[in-house]
Amino acid sequence: MTTQLPCYHCALPVPAGSRFTAVVLGETREFCCPGCQAVAQAIVAGGLESYYQHRSEASANPEALPVQLVDELALYDRADVQKPFVRHDGELAETTLLMEGISCAACGWLIEKHLRGLPAVAEARLNLSNHRLHVRWADGQLPLSQMLGELRQIGYAAHPYQPDRASEQLASENRLALRQLGVAGLLWFQAMMATMATWPEFNIDLSPELHTILRWVALFLTTPIVFYSCAPFFKGAMRDLRTRHLTMDVSVSLAIGCAYIAGIWTSITGVGELYFDTVGMFALFLLAGRYLERRARERTAAATAQLVNLLPASCLRLGADGQSERILLNELRVGDRVLVHPGAVLPADGRILDGQSSIDESLLTGEYLPQPRAPGDAVTAGTLNVEGALTVEVLALGHDTRLSAIVRLLDRAQSEKPRLAEIADRAAQWFLLVSLIASAIIGLVWWELDASRAFWIVLAMVVATCPCALSLATPTALTAATGTLHKLGLLLTRGHVLEGLNQIDTVIFDKTGTLTEGRLALRSIRPLAAVSSDLCLGLAAALENRSEHPIARAFGRAPLAAEEVHSTPGLGLEGVVAGQRLRIGQPGFVCELSGAITPSMPEEAGQWLLLGDARGPLAWFVLDDRLREDAPALIKACKARGWRTLLLSGDSSPMVASVAAELGIDEARGGLRPDDKLQVLQQLHQEGRKVLMLGDGVNDVPVLAAADISVAMGSATDLAKTSADAVLLSNRLDALVQAFGLARRTRKIIVENLAWATLYNGLMLPFAAVGWITPVWAAVGMSISSLVVVLNALRLTRLPRTAAVSATPETRPLPA
């Protein structure tokens, strides 16, 4: 019996007599069907031929799926896991799967053909537009995990389709908004042609009967616009009237309703002009403006949606015997140990127990370079493990994780309205009230002067003075600016920050962890014997690498290994390196080993450590905190705005003065307790100053809470971040510099929007009152003014060129 060759694309047997071939990687390959042949040819033609060169053995061999993948797929056979997305009808099960890797119709044909070839599958239909696969099969004969494995073997990953309720509702609202916009646009063009045909300018030899027919046709075409497309306006107006709250929905509904009723009267009696085209145009432009505003808000909320969906569906839990078991995320508990392989997402907040790796925190902090993490370091749910396997103890789950806290802070910021927005809302309500009263008065005046024109002039006034642009001026700009700041790594947790940054005249900085990195770094090595600096560093690093003290991190990785290392708290370390017994730490402790005279400690500022062996001291090491590379730029930006700068630190060392001198800070005070810092802030407030506070520690919390605007570093304590108005997730001070510029741009655009909206409404009201503007042109003007406001606000979504900075700035040593 002849063994059938496997298809080069999907690995299924090639039928006898098949002639489906293609040249891939320089050789003629055989395929089982025209679908696989077409997919292969498309891959080659697209320059992606390396796919076949680098694909895993699992893709080429249907019997060799990775063990980790098999374990994960096996979870889908559990009844409790299947319950949300699998429906049962007798012996058949039914589900919808979301497919990955589909590139063309041939992929769909291949997937359907492969599944239908399985005896247990009764139906398999793939929707190419949304990549959803609908399957009915006998799950008693074919477990779901095996079916998912079959799809993996032909190169396609499938996942249960379970739409998030909020995202599905948002998508549904978008579809409805687009349909309403489409209906309004399509029918408006038709209604406009029917209406224009009745105008005297176009009314050439038009019989009375045809004139009547055209009026009724226009009415018929406009009715769906009013009752379907404009339904949101009427619902909003009814809601606002019930709460005794005037909004632009009230004005819009009045305008559309009056024009439609007047059109019905004209259609029946033949008296007056048809304004159905005005209704359609008004609805079209308003719906277009609202849709643009909706899309702008969605783009701003995209980052939040990304954060919510970061967590994996399952994870590997370690048992007491050290064996791993794959479980669902909702089965994980605080205190459990999880194994996180390279390339996997961390399922919960925790602390590393074993292993070293780099963690990609880009979606949380904006840092595109992975950050090194070692045993004892904290890790955050939703971040990506890049290099080595990690054993992590779970410390927080669900709503208690840092990820959930960030989402809650974002929600709070988006729900709060700044003072400028509240003023604009109140102004819009008063303007609407004045406009309606003025329209009623002008209507009575025109009723006495020319009753035939009174209604149309009132209609034009109501349409022209609708405060849409005034109501949109501030929220659209603030929404766009908030999203841009989040891209820069600055998370606003309260709504007044953008407005308040324009009023600041004083900035208070903390030192450690804010202007400096908050961790010790090796500044210099001073040999005391005939030993090179490099060898001294290697010996010291070998000892320190066996310590968990924060100082140890400053020495980096060691080229040598240390043995018999033990620590004497408060004094230092002792161990054997390359057969040589060494000590590092306090001078007296080190010199006890050799009995040598203790050398005097240098007078320069810094943390001084002595290295010595049995013969005597070998070298001094000086460690210091380091300035952030972008700290000078931040101080320079504050100076350029004429702000007063203060450095308030709990550090009592000379480093406070040296940092202030290096950066050019106006005033520096060290050795301050939290209440001392708060007293300084209160004194500044008494002087009438508006203060911005930038800090990161628990000792900064009182000042952060009391400052006009407070910004906490991303590395700050949870309490500090909770007390702050904004969190610098990226820890990049240049993002704050960008925020200063964006705050000014935002205020400028808000002023521009308010000025434009006020000018437009102020001019249109008298023009409409004297009858110079018809309802048609009033609708055009109002719609264009709203679009101008939205498009002007969207300029804030563009990142300035100066925002393209290094994500991990280098550091430099502080001055001695």
Side-chain angles (χ1 to χ4, degrees):
M1 181 176 177
T2 304
T3 303
Q4 292 178 308
L5 291 173
C7 171
Y8 188 69
H9 179 73
C10 70
L12 290 177
V14 176
S18 173
R19 293 293 181 268
F20 302 112
T21 61
V23 178
V24 182
L25 298 175
E27 296 183 21
T28 301
R29 314 289 185 175
E30 294 193 23
F31 301 90
C32 65
C33 61
C36 289
Q37 181 191 39
V39 171
Q41 289 173 338
I43 289 174
V44 173
L48 303 175
E49 198 171 9
S50 59
Y51 160 77
Y52 291 106
Q53 185 176 359
H54 299 296
R55 67 180 176 178
S56 65
E57 291 297 323
S59 299
N61 182 1
E63 302 297 330
L65 289 176
V67 175
Q68 179 180 346
L69 178 59
V70 172
D71 292 342
E72 185 168 345
L73 293 180
L75 291 173
Y76 290 114
D77 293 335
R78 289 169 42 177
D80 59 327
V81 177
Q82 291 186 7
K83 186 177 180 180
F85 62 91
V86 177
R87 299 169 297 281
H88 290 84
D89 183 12
E91 297 182 354
L92 293 181
E94 183 178 357
T95 190
T96 300
L97 302 174
L98 189 63
M99 302 298 301
E100 291 183 6
I102 295 176
S103 58
C104 61
C107 296
W109 181 87
L110 173 62
I111 291 171
E112 291 180 350
K113 177 180 180 298
H114 184 73
L115 289 183
R116 289 170 183 169
L118 301 176
V121 176
E123 180 183 3
R125 290 181 287 103
L126 178 69
N127 187 331
L128 283 172
S129 63
N130 55 24
H131 296 183
R132 295 177 195 168
L133 175 67
H134 180 75
V135 187
R136 294 177 66 242
W137 83 105
D139 58 345
Q141 304 175 33
L142 180 69
L144 179 58
S145 63
Q146 187 176 337
M147 183 168 63
L148 296 176
E150 290 283 347
L151 292 170
R152 290 272 184 171
Q153 289 162 6
I154 61 174
Y156 301 96
H159 309 282
Y161 175 68
Q162 293 177 271
D164 175 73
R165 184 171 297 177
S167 61
E168 184 67 14
Q169 181 180 356
L170 185 63
S172 175
E173 291 174 354
N174 280 339
R175 290 193 295 269
L176 176 61
L178 272 177
R179 285 197 300 268
Q180 291 171 333
L181 181 61
V183 167
L186 180 64
L187 297 183
W188 168 60
F189 282 114
Q190 311 302 322
M192 181 179 63
M193 289 188 290
T195 303
M196 288 177 64
T198 65
W199 292 358
E201 295 84 352
F202 299 97
N203 191 352
I204 303 174
D205 299 328
L206 189 66
S207 65
E209 293 79 9
L210 186 56
H211 196 284
T212 302
I213 291 173
L214 287 174
R215 292 201 304 269
W216 284 98
V217 167
L219 172 60
F220 176 77
L221 293 170
T222 306
T223 299
I225 297 177
V226 174
F227 289 98
Y228 177 70
S229 297
C230 298
F233 302 130
F234 292 109
K235 291 178 181 177
M238 291 299 295
R239 179 194 62 236
D240 296 331
L241 289 176
R242 281 197 299 268
T243 58
R244 298 180 181 180
H245 186 65
L246 283 178
T247 66
M248 67 179 184
D249 280 341
V250 175
S251 178
V252 168
S253 300
L254 280 174
I256 291 175
C258 291
Y260 179 67
I261 293 172
I264 295 176
W265 171 260
T266 301
S267 298
I268 295 174
T269 63
V271 178
E273 297 184 29
L274 288 175
Y275 276 99
F276 290 133
D277 54 336
T278 303
V279 172
M281 178 184 293
F282 195 35
L284 178 65
F285 280 103
L286 272 176
L287 291 169
R290 287 198 171 185
Y291 185 74
L292 281 176
E293 182 194 4
R294 169 189 290 272
R295 299 302 295 177
R297 287 200 308 266
E298 287 176 9
R299 283 197 295 272
T300 301
T304 310
Q306 275 186 315
L307 293 175
V308 174
N309 297 319
L310 281 180
L311 298 180
S314 64
C315 63
L316 288 173
R317 181 173 61 189
L318 293 174
D321 57 357
Q323 297 298 314
S324 63
E325 174 193 11
R326 185 161 292 277
I327 62 170
L328 293 174
L329 189 60
N330 58 16
E331 296 178 295
L332 197 61
R333 297 293 180 264
V334 173
D336 286 349
R337 293 181 303 144
V338 293
L339 178 63
V340 185
H341 288 294
V345 175
L346 285 146
D349 287 1
R351 181 178 63 251
I352 298 176
L353 299 178
D354 185 40
Q356 289 188 339
S357 183
S358 296
I359 305 296
D360 182 354
E361 302 176 343
S362 56
L363 283 178
L364 290 179
T365 66
E367 297 281 358
Y368 71 88
L369 290 177
Q371 303 299 305
R373 295 291 183 265
D377 289 345
V379 289
T380 303
T383 56
L384 178 67
N385 182 20
V386 177
E387 294 175 334
L390 297 174
T391 300
V392 178
E393 179 187 5
V394 176
L395 299 180
L397 288 167
H399 291 289
D400 297 327
T401 62
R402 181 188 176 200
L403 186 66
S404 297
I406 290 175
V407 172
R408 289 195 296 272
L409 290 176
L410 273 173
D411 291 339
R412 184 180 72 182
Q414 293 169 357
S415 64
E416 289 186 357
K417 276 191 175 182
R419 187 176 56 87
L420 200 57
E422 294 175 352
I423 292 174
D425 286 348
R426 288 197 296 269
Q429 292 182 44
W430 280 106
F431 181 82
L432 179 57
L433 179 62
V434 171
S435 299
L436 292 177
I437 294 174
S439 299
I441 295 173
I442 296 297
L444 292 175
V445 172
W446 274 99
W447 184 264
E448 297 294 331
L449 298 176
D450 187 351
S452 62
R453 299 185 60 189
F455 175 79
W456 306 112
I457 288 176
V458 170
L459 179 60
M461 290 182 65
V462 172
V463 172
T465 58
C466 178
C468 300
L470 193 61
S471 298
L472 292 173
T474 302
T476 51
L478 292 174
T479 301
T482 301
T484 302
L485 286 176
H486 192 230
K487 292 178 186 177
L488 290 170
L490 181 64
L491 172 67
L492 302 188
T493 66
R494 290 184 172 87
H496 72 279
V497 174
L498 276 169
E499 178 189 359
L501 280 176
N502 293 289
Q503 302 169 358
I504 293 299
D505 56 19
T506 304
V507 186
I508 296 176
F509 298 99
D510 178 46
K511 180 180 73 71
T512 306
T514 303
L515 295 177
T516 68
E517 287 195 325
R519 57 186 176 90
L520 292 174
L522 184 61
R523 191 172 76 187
S524 66
I525 305 171
R526 298 186 182 180
L528 299 176
V531 184
S532 68
S533 297
D534 291 339
L535 179 56
C536 290
L537 177 58
L539 295 173
L543 290 174
E544 293 288 354
N545 280 183
R546 299 290 298 275
S547 170
E548 296 183 358
H549 194 280
I551 288 178
R553 300 180 184 179
F555 288 85
R557 294 185 178 180
L560 303 172
E563 300 174 348
E564 303 176 21
V565 177
H566 64 271
S567 172
T568 303
L571 296 178
L573 299 171
E574 179 179 343
V576 177
V577 181
Q580 182 181 6
R581 183 163 293 277
L582 300 166
R583 283 187 180 184
I584 186 171
Q586 296 295 326
F589 170 73
V590 173
C591 291
E592 283 179 3
L593 183 62
S594 61
I597 299 175
T598 304
S600 58
M601 186 178 295
E603 296 181 358
E604 299 175 20
Q607 178 76 41
W608 290 88
L609 300 177
L610 183 65
L611 174 69
D613 60 9
R615 291 172 295 180
L618 295 177
W620 282 108
F621 295 88
V622 59
L623 290 81
D624 251 334
D625 203 350
R626 291 174 178 255
L627 276 179
R628 296 184 184 272
E629 178 69 15
D630 43 9
L634 175 60
I635 303 301
K636 183 178 179 181
C638 295
K639 293 284 189 180
R641 288 164 173 77
W643 295 350
R644 179 183 174 187
T645 53
L646 292 87
L647 177 59
L648 305 182
S649 177
D651 186 359
S652 57
S653 72
M655 295 301 302
V656 177
S658 62
V659 168
E662 169 73 3
L663 295 176
I665 295 177
D666 297 330
E667 183 179 346
R669 302 184 191 179
L672 298 181
R673 295 173 301 177
D675 54 341
D676 296 329
K677 292 185 177 183
L678 184 59
Q679 187 176 359
V680 174
L681 175 63
Q682 292 171 345
Q683 183 179 352
L684 291 171
H685 279 160
Q686 290 174 3
E687 296 173 5
R689 291 188 171 272
K690 298 292 185 180
V691 181
L692 166 67
M693 171 66 190
L694 182 62
D696 77 323
V698 174
N699 61 328
D700 297 322
V701 169
V703 192
L704 288 170
D708 297 281
I709 294 181
S710 53
V711 180
M713 303 297 291
S715 56
T717 61
D718 290 339
L719 185 57
K721 287 186 282 191
T722 304
S723 304
D725 302 320
V727 180
L728 200 56
L729 291 176
S730 64
N731 280 325
R732 298 202 309 267
L733 298 179
D734 56 276
L736 199 55
V737 176
Q738 299 297 328
F740 296 157
L742 188 64
R744 289 195 171 186
R745 287 177 57 208
T746 303
R747 184 175 183 84
K748 179 183 176 184
I749 284 182
I750 289 176
V751 170
E752 289 174 355
N753 284 349
L754 291 174
W756 164 256
T758 304
L759 179 64
Y760 162 77
N761 285 294
L763 290 177
M764 292 293 277
L765 185 62
F767 288 164
V770 296
W772 291 356
I773 297 176
T774 64
V776 174
W777 290 110
V780 173
M782 187 283 309
S783 304
I784 291 176
S785 70
S786 298
L787 288 174
V788 167
V789 164
V790 173
L791 293 175
N792 191 38
L794 289 178
R795 290 164 50 204
L796 292 169
T797 61
R798 295 198 300 267
L799 285 171
R801 291 184 181 179
T802 49
V805 294
S806 170
T808 307
E810 298 179 356
T811 56
R812 55 176 177 170
L814 292 172

